[in-house]
Amino acid sequence: MKAVVFYLLTIIACLYGKRFRCDYKHVPAVDGWIKYHEVPANWREARLRCHLEGAKLASPLTEELKTALRGLIPAGDDCGVFTGIHATFSRGDFHSVEGIPLWKIPHVWAANEPNNDKDEESCLLMTSQGELADVSCAETLPYLCYKKNTPNMVVNSCGTIDNYYTMDHRTGSCYKFHRVPRTWSRAYMACAAEGGHLAIINSETEAQVMKEIFAKNPGGKMLGNFWKDVAFIGFHDWNEHGEWLTIEGQTLEEAGYAKFSGGEPNNSTTGEFCGSIYRNGMFDDLWCENKYAFICEKSPDSLLCEDDQ
Ligand SMILES: *[C@@H]1O[C@H](CO)[C@@H](O)[C@H](O)[C@H]1NC(C)=O
Ligand SMILES: *[C@@H]1O[C@H](CO)[C@@H](O)[C@H](O)[C@H]1NC(C)=O
Ligand SMILES: [Ca+2]
Ligand SMILES: [Ca+2]
Ligand SMILES: [Ca+2]
């Protein structure tokens, strides 16, 4: 029933124009979608979050885009927003995250800028007036992400344009196995940015689904020097060291599945405070700060707009 409703919604969404995701605003003038992130972040985090959302840290690349971006900065924002224009690869060589050099980007500087204060200013902000200033990349500012429309952009049955998400009809959830390893915290960020969360195992069936997903991702298909028989999922000790709860605050038993692999959790050397799953579908405690593959879970309607429903 849920699936039928969802397909109907998808058809309606298609009739009313292409959607990217409901937290982004469609701006026809720039043939794309823009999101204002109100919680300030440093430049590196801002860049990464836009990337993980399937977009780019926005820069005023054209007058139209500048106007669109300014239009989404709330009145009262006096500090400005980070742009994607940076010189973090080579100091002084400013390019947008799309690789466009500063000289090709129409720009007006704010008073007394750029000044490269203390030789530490490799990121550019844009004021609400649309003027640029160089600032430290370690500053924290709001920012905007921009997704340019591309041909063949289709929202799939998982409610995302990310075709690595696949629906499992046994659980009604969509899953994505991330082969690019990240720390548990970054893995959490990636799943959240995709409109989901680190996978929560609610049944034997879902543990079986995890096994099957793992089997489709042999170690040989993952690039890099990391342990490939374990993946981060959505439980954690919440820094209490001993009690394991899902990222939604349930005990593993309440969530519906609590099978640790034999001998686990073993806290083998300190730091195994994050939840993971072995290829055999059983749990392990694992080092939070090391990088491993991870599995996200997403409800098919998590990025659908209210007005689609
Ligand atoms: C893990 O080991 C560290 C030190 O060896 C200890 O501080 C921590 O409490 C242990 N955690 C658990 C859950 O046993
Ligand atoms: C303890 O867990 C770690 C992974 O979290 C694993 O590498 C190690 O083999 C385990 N040790 C034992 C004795 O099971
Ligand atoms: Ca400056
Ligand atoms: Ca689940
Ligand atoms: Ca362990």
Side-chain angles (χ1 to χ4, degrees):
M1 181 59 197
K2 213 177 163 190
V4 173
V5 171
F6 177 74
Y7 288 123
L8 283 177
L9 289 176
T10 311
I11 292 166
I12 293 167
C14 290
L15 290 176
Y16 284 88
K18 272 204 311 191
R19 298 272 177 189
F20 172 44
R21 35 189 289 170
C22 61
D23 49 346
Y24 277 65
K25 188 175 172 358
H26 187 221
V27 183
V30 295
D31 191 26
W33 292 263
I34 300 172
K35 173 174 175 178
Y36 174 75
H37 277 269
E38 59 189 346
V39 180
N42 66 46
W43 189 85
R44 187 171 163 227
E45 304 253 323
R47 199 278 318 166
L48 179 60
R49 187 164 283 106
C50 291
H51 169 66
L52 294 171
E53 287 182 353
K56 294 255 184 323
L57 181 56
S59 304
L61 298 174
T62 61
E63 289 298 340
E64 292 74 31
L65 197 45
K66 186 206 280 189
T67 305
L69 296 175
R70 287 180 60 193
L72 288 174
I73 302 176
D77 177 315
D78 302 323
C79 311
V81 295
F82 267 127
T83 70
I85 308 170
H86 71 113
T88 63
F89 293 143
S90 161
R91 285 202 296 172
D93 292 317
F94 283 93
H95 288 74
S96 78
V97 291
E98 296 89 349
I100 301 174
L102 179 60
W103 66 268
K104 286 193 178 170
I105 303 172
H107 58 276
V108 176
W109 295 104
N112 306 319
E113 303 284 357
N115 63 346
N116 192 20
D117 189 32
K118 301 194 188 81
D119 201 14
E120 275 173 3
E121 301 196 319
S122 288
C123 290
L124 300 192
L125 65 70
M126 182 177 78
T127 67
S128 52
Q129 283 76 48
E131 296 173 337
L132 300 186
D134 57 351
V135 291
S136 161
C137 302
E139 271 203 35
T140 53
L141 292 171
Y143 53 100
L144 297 125
C145 305
Y146 172 54
K147 170 68 179 175
K148 197 172 160 45
N149 193 8
T150 52
N152 312 322
M153 205 178 106
V154 181
V155 174
N156 58 32
S157 59
C158 286
T160 167
I161 63 164
D162 182 346
N163 287 324
Y164 287 105
Y165 273 95
T166 54
M167 159 70 87
D168 190 282
H169 291 284
R170 288 166 289 182
T171 63
S173 273
C174 294
Y175 303 94
K176 174 176 175 180
F177 188 96
H178 281 257
R179 292 177 179 174
V180 175
R182 298 190 192 274
T183 63
W184 190 89
S185 175
R186 285 295 202 223
Y188 184 103
M189 177 185 185
C191 295
E194 290 172 356
H197 55 82
L198 278 166
I200 297 175
I201 316 307
N202 300 105
S203 61
E204 287 279 349
T205 305
E206 201 165 15
Q208 176 63 27
V209 172
M210 295 298 108
K211 268 172 80 171
E212 293 170 18
I213 289 175
F214 230 138
K216 289 183 190 146
N217 291 278
K221 295 230 165 139
M222 299 181 218
L223 273 183
N225 179 17
F226 61 97
W227 186 25
K228 293 161 183 163
D229 295 326
V230 68
F232 281 133
I233 57 168
F235 68 95
H236 199 277
D237 74 2
W238 294 63
N239 300 324
E240 292 301 322
H241 303 345
E243 185 184 33
W244 297 97
L245 300 176
T246 72
I247 51 175
E248 294 178 350
Q250 289 184 304
T251 64
L252 302 181
E253 287 78 10
E254 282 165 356
Y257 181 85
K259 285 191 185 155
F260 276 92
S261 194
E264 307 286 358
N266 65 355
N267 193 25
S268 68
T269 59
T270 189
E272 293 207 317
F273 307 139
C274 285
S276 65
I277 191 164
Y278 282 123
R279 282 191 182 273
N280 66 7
M282 301 222 252
F283 291 161
D284 176 29
D285 58 341
L286 194 57
W287 298 279
C288 303
E289 298 304 328
N290 289 358
K291 293 182 181 182
Y292 303 100
F294 56 101
I295 304 169
C296 302
E297 176 178 358
K298 179 185 175 306
S299 139
D301 57 10
S302 66
L303 293 175
L304 281 190
C305 308
E306 287 283 311
D307 56 13
D308 287 344
Q309 301 176 15

